[in-house]
Amino acid sequence: MFHKEKPDYNRCQYGFYTIDELVPKDHFLRQLEAEVDFDFIYSIFIKDFCLL
């Protein structure tokens, strides 16, 4: 929110949020994550994208 009277008011304020706070609890992607194990993706792509 911007202040009309004080345009510089919000410049020194920070907000810290996590994805868990921003995504609703009943969102489709949360339901998908609970049902599908995506760990297999790491083993497929580790040889192409591993920086070690």
Side-chain angles (χ1 to χ4, degrees):
M1 224 34 178
F2 291 105
H3 287 269
K4 293 179 182 178
E5 299 83 26
K6 301 178 189 177
D8 294 333
Y9 179 75
N10 286 326
R11 291 184 186 213
C12 295
Q13 296 182 8
Y14 296 97
F16 296 97
Y17 303 97
T18 64
I19 294 296
D20 288 332
E21 293 173 325
L22 297 174
V23 178
K25 298 293 182 198
D26 60 346
H27 194 273
F28 169 73
L29 292 177
R30 284 188 185 268
Q31 296 170 4
L32 183 67
E33 181 183 29
E35 297 296 324
V36 179
D37 182 17
F38 290 103
D39 287 340
F40 71 94
I41 294 174
Y42 298 110
S43 62
I44 292 172
F45 290 103
I46 190 129
K47 64 183 177 293
D48 296 327
F49 295 102
C50 184
L51 298 175
L52 298 177

